[in-house]
Amino acid sequence: YYRSAVLASNMYDRWFRLNVIHDANASHLKVYIDGVLKFEAPGRGGTSHYFKCGVYSQPDGSYYMESRWKGIKVLKKCG
């Protein structure tokens, strides 16, 4: 999914709420920014999953990349 269209613009130098819902059993992913659904896609399978709080480099990326995080919660649905 890293080559998909831009999900949100004008995000630099401001706080925003990011919610990622990954239903591994249903193989489905949703991404919300400030409470608005911005991306929805099927999962990519696999048995091991993790979330990275940080930035990924890409071709022709910026020389300066930074991310700041607060209030991180990871919830797991049981049952």
Side-chain angles (χ1 to χ4, degrees):
Y1 304 117
Y2 302 117
R3 304 223 183 270
S4 297
V6 173
L7 300 183
S9 58
N10 300 318
M11 303 300 284
Y12 182 76
D13 202 26
R14 76 172 187 92
W15 287 103
F16 59 91
R17 189 176 79 225
L18 174 69
N19 297 98
V20 178
I21 300 173
H22 179 199
D23 186 337
N25 292 332
S27 190
H28 196 78
L29 178 80
K30 291 182 181 181
V31 177
Y32 293 83
I33 299 176
D34 289 330
V36 177
L37 179 63
K38 294 289 188 172
F39 185 75
E40 192 170 2
R44 291 188 169 174
T47 57
S48 177
H49 306 282
Y50 70 95
F51 289 103
K52 175 183 176 180
C53 295
V55 296
Y56 288 91
S57 181
Q58 63 186 26
D60 299 320
S62 170
Y63 288 105
Y64 178 77
M65 294 184 285
E66 175 184 30
S67 66
R68 297 180 186 190
W69 299 79
K70 65 181 181 179
I72 297 171
K73 296 176 186 158
V74 177
L75 308 174
K76 180 178 179 182
K77 181 178 178 182
C78 297

